[in-house]
Amino acid sequence: MVRVRFAPSPTGYLHVGGLRTALYNYLFAKRHGGICILRIEDTDRTRLVEGAAEALLTTLRWAGIEFDESPEKGGQYGPYVQSERFDLYRQYSAELVERGAAYYAFDTPEELDAMRKRMQDAGIAWRYDRTTMRNQYTLGEAETKRLLEENAPKTVRMKVPLSGEIRFEDLVRGPIEVPARDVDDQILLKSDNFPTYHLANIVDDHLMQITHVIRGEEWLPSTPKHALLYDAMGWERPKFAHLPLLLNPDKTKLSKRQGDVAVEDYREKGYFHEALVNFVALLGWNPSSDREIFSMQELIDTFDLSKVNKAGAVFDVQKLDWMNSEYLRAKPLDELARDIMPAMQASGVTTTPEYLASVIGLVRERIHKLNEVPAFTTYMFHVPTEYEAEYKEKHWLPEHAAPMRTLAERLAATEWKAAPLQEATKAFAKESGIKIGVFMNVLRLMVTGRSVGAGMFETMELLGKDECVKRIDAALVVFGG
RNA sequence: GGCCCCAUCGACUAAUGGUUAGGUCACAACCCUUUCAAGGUUGCAGUACGGGUUCGAAUCCCGUUGGGGUCACCA
């Protein structure tokens, strides 16, 4: 049985890289009929943000990712919040010490900083030296016992072998080998008795029977430590899969400063969750096809960890925009109308879902995001009060007044549908000897006040005869016809 | 700097020893046209470099260069 987990820290928003990690875990679990778990890793009290865990869940749910086991849903391996599992970590940390795989250290942060600085100045790579620092090996049994009884501040560090190689297999990168001498004696239990990520992570992954650890590449360097810990406890190691990083345009790790990194930002900007998920799914993975558009179910059906790429992928908003517009054009109009109705009302428009749906149908090919609808379609709800100066300058001449008046009369007498209206206009252009382009532009100017918009006759049909005639008359007055 | 990872058009990627190196975004041109789009057609553009292995290399090996990640009592 496949069991995977997404384990974020509740320190704020959901990073798009986090979304992709969560998504791959979810897809992998669903693909194999497995279980996907959400675990909150809140062992660092200093970085904790109130309400962040709930926000994370809300955003993940918006994206269409549901967990089988989570803090709110529960499950038989809970609790799913690390701060509620502290006793467990202390217990296993003690066991690690008993097994000789970890030891007590009594150095203060100041001492460590000083040592680090000294080594740095000397040009030597930093690594905790357990033969010279203050720990149970240098202090001796009696002194260690005394300090422990005295409740002196202490940490528990892992005892990493001084020689040899640490090997592990990565599902996307193959075998990885690192010299043990380059691995630091990582702190497992802090002096406040709280575990660090490394301890809490392997304890929970083991206890929750996680079979595959799918996480970002930034974790690759600490995986040897995790492998060592599983071995020390006599636990079976899960399979590891380290995902390529999401990058800024300059190829550095995707970060704030260079654009939006929070999923919430994209949500607020009006991107569809389907588009964001589709886009992010294809960043670092591809099912070897030319296909670009995938629904969640289609992603589940084709997802394959072995096809995940090794190289980082630049997050290109232009392609996201394109993908979003694909969804915008494919979605049912009534659904779009329902989604954007609140924003329409907020911008002072009262309308019916049916009319709004028709309006969206007219303009959806001209915008990238649904939330552009209110600003793009004001003329569909309000009589224009202003006319784009440059556009008017370019297309309006006083001698157009008389023919326009006649055209308006002709149009009013024809069936108020796009096709007949077009025919009538064409006929009148021919008859009057004026190019149809002139009528088109002036009509657009008078009816919408804008230089850009949907097809003119479709727009007029939807607006209705009375409204259009009224607008043309009003414009004629304003323009001094 | 040590360690680790990575390397196909500007971007996302396909091609797992044999293809004129394919698709998508972006960009450009043309067509369509009623503004803006959309759509259609075409174009631009890539295997980082150097050595091997092989009849044959984007693909396998080695090196170089370049990029990235990581080196906390953060995760």
Side-chain angles (χ1 to χ4, degrees):
Chain A
M1 172 66 117
V2 164
R3 289 177 60 84
V4 296
R5 83 309 194 266
F6 176 58
S9 282
T11 55
Y13 55 88
L14 176 63
H15 192 280
V16 289
L19 172 65
R20 195 199 49 177
T21 301
L23 179 66
Y24 283 14
N25 273 283
Y26 176 77
L27 295 177
F28 184 73
K30 293 298 148 199
R31 178 82 179 86
H32 295 94
I35 297 294
C36 190
I37 296 169
L38 176 73
R39 182 174 73 222
I40 299 297
E41 308 218 325
D42 58 347
T43 53
D44 184 359
R45 297 163 307 161
T46 62
R47 298 206 314 163
L48 220 149
V49 173
E50 193 66 32
E54 292 70 23
L56 238 28
L57 207 53
T58 302
T59 304
L60 254 2
R61 181 165 293 136
W62 170 77
I65 297 172
E66 291 285 347
F67 296 93
D68 302 296
E69 298 170 24
S70 70
E72 63 168 23
K73 209 168 184 177
Q76 54 177 316
Y77 299 92
Y80 294 90
V81 178
Q82 289 189 328
S83 56
E84 294 169 22
R85 303 169 62 85
F86 282 149
D87 291 344
L88 247 21
Y89 310 131
R90 275 166 220 158
Q91 176 193 325
Y92 284 106
S93 139
E95 186 172 341
L96 248 5
V97 174
E98 268 170 45
R99 286 167 173 260
Y103 59 91
Y104 295 112
F106 301 93
D107 320 273
T108 65
E110 293 72 31
E111 286 168 343
L112 291 168
D113 282 346
M115 177 56 79
R116 234 187 307 263
K117 188 166 188 316
R118 229 174 302 149
M119 296 188 79
Q120 193 184 322
D121 290 347
I124 304 166
W126 159 258
R127 188 182 187 279
Y128 183 85
D129 183 353
R130 61 177 175 260
T131 64
T132 57
M133 301 298 283
R134 294 180 56 231
N135 54 58
Q136 71 179 71
Y137 300 118
T138 55
L139 262 25
E141 215 172 293
E143 177 66 359
T144 299
K145 194 170 175 233
R146 193 186 66 78
L147 285 169
L148 288 176
E149 276 166 3
E150 195 174 89
N151 241 325
K154 63 163 196 305
T155 60
V156 173
R157 282 181 181 268
M158 35 178 319
K159 188 180 180 189
V160 176
L162 298 172
S163 63
E165 302 288 321
I166 302 168
R167 283 175 252 268
F168 64 94
E169 192 73 20
D170 188 279
L171 257 24
V172 342
R173 278 149 227 282
I176 291 173
E177 184 178 290
V178 353
R181 49 173 299 195
D182 290 319
V183 178
D184 198 23
D185 279 8
Q186 183 67 49
I187 287 184
L188 264 16
L189 203 65
K190 305 182 239 179
S191 56
D192 61 5
N193 259 317
F194 282 47
T196 57
Y197 170 86
H198 310 280
L199 209 219
N201 194 262
I202 67 121
V203 166
D204 287 347
D205 281 348
H206 172 73
L207 261 22
M208 294 181 181
Q209 297 188 20
I210 299 302
T211 57
H212 300 257
V213 170
I214 304 170
R215 72 221 316 188
E217 190 187 344
E218 68 268 30
W219 291 108
L220 203 49
S222 47
T223 304
K225 294 170 188 170
H226 304 162
L228 246 25
L229 288 172
Y230 282 106
D231 295 353
M233 288 304 298
W235 293 341
E236 190 187 342
R237 285 146 55 156
K239 299 217 179 306
F240 295 103
H242 288 92
L243 273 18
L245 259 18
L246 255 33
L247 274 22
N248 291 309
D250 71 356
K251 305 266 189 189
T252 53
K253 189 165 139 182
L254 190 63
S255 64
K256 226 153 180 163
R257 289 221 74 117
Q258 297 200 39
D260 294 315
V261 295
V263 173
E264 289 84 346
D265 290 336
Y266 291 94
R267 181 181 182 178
E268 274 165 32
K269 285 195 167 183
Y271 290 95
F272 293 120
H273 61 89
E274 294 95 328
L276 222 212
V277 164
N278 191 158
F279 175 68
V280 121
L282 261 20
L283 248 30
W285 169 79
N286 185 288
S288 294
S289 80
D290 287 344
R291 194 132 170 240
E292 298 283 343
I293 304 298
F294 293 87
S295 66
M296 185 66 97
Q297 189 55 50
E298 290 166 333
L299 289 174
I300 291 170
D301 294 340
T302 48
F303 189 74
D304 183 352
L305 256 191
S306 74
K307 284 190 174 293
V308 170
N309 293 127
K310 296 193 245 291
V314 173
F315 190 97
D316 179 13
V317 182
Q318 271 188 325
K319 188 154 185 179
L320 207 212
D321 282 340
W322 166 78
M323 202 168 266
N324 199 73
S325 57
E326 288 291 304
Y327 279 91
L328 183 56
R329 281 189 285 150
K331 284 195 170 218
L333 288 172
D334 56 346
E335 187 183 325
L336 295 174
R338 191 196 61 215
D339 289 350
I340 198 65
M341 185 59 95
M344 296 302 296
Q345 286 164 345
S347 71
V349 166
T350 20
T351 183
T352 63
E354 293 73 25
Y355 181 76
L356 180 55
S358 301
V359 170
I360 295 169
L362 247 36
V363 304
R364 76 206 301 196
E365 282 186 355
R366 294 165 167 82
I367 56 180
H368 286 299
K369 301 196 292 274
L370 225 210
N371 65 2
E372 292 167 40
V373 167
F376 197 86
T377 63
T378 50
Y379 62 85
M380 294 306 291
F381 304 95
H382 304 287
V383 176
T385 51
E386 282 175 7
Y387 301 87
E388 271 183 43
E390 203 179 321
Y391 190 51
K392 185 184 168 198
E393 182 71 26
K394 192 170 172 192
H395 295 284
W396 171 255
L397 292 172
E399 59 257 44
H400 290 152
M404 276 310 293
R405 204 165 265 132
T406 311
L407 174 62
E409 283 163 16
R410 295 282 181 90
L411 292 179
T414 63
E415 186 194 356
W416 202 261
K417 288 262 185 340
L421 288 171
Q422 178 165 9
E423 282 313 307
T425 306
K426 256 187 199 161
F428 182 65
K430 202 169 179 189
E431 181 188 327
S432 64
I434 296 174
K435 282 189 192 138
I436 189 167
V438 172
F439 286 125
M440 298 308 305
N441 284 302
V442 174
L443 228 31
R444 179 175 299 284
L445 177 67
M446 291 182 153
V447 176
T448 73
R450 306 258 191 100
S451 59
V452 306
M456 200 54 230
F457 297 110
E458 288 76 10
T459 300
M460 286 169 66
E461 176 183 331
L462 187 55
L463 242 18
K465 188 205 286 191
D466 295 349
E467 181 68 19
C468 290
V469 170
K470 194 174 86 185
R471 290 186 183 192
I472 293 170
D473 286 346
L476 249 9
V477 172
V478 174
F479 293 4

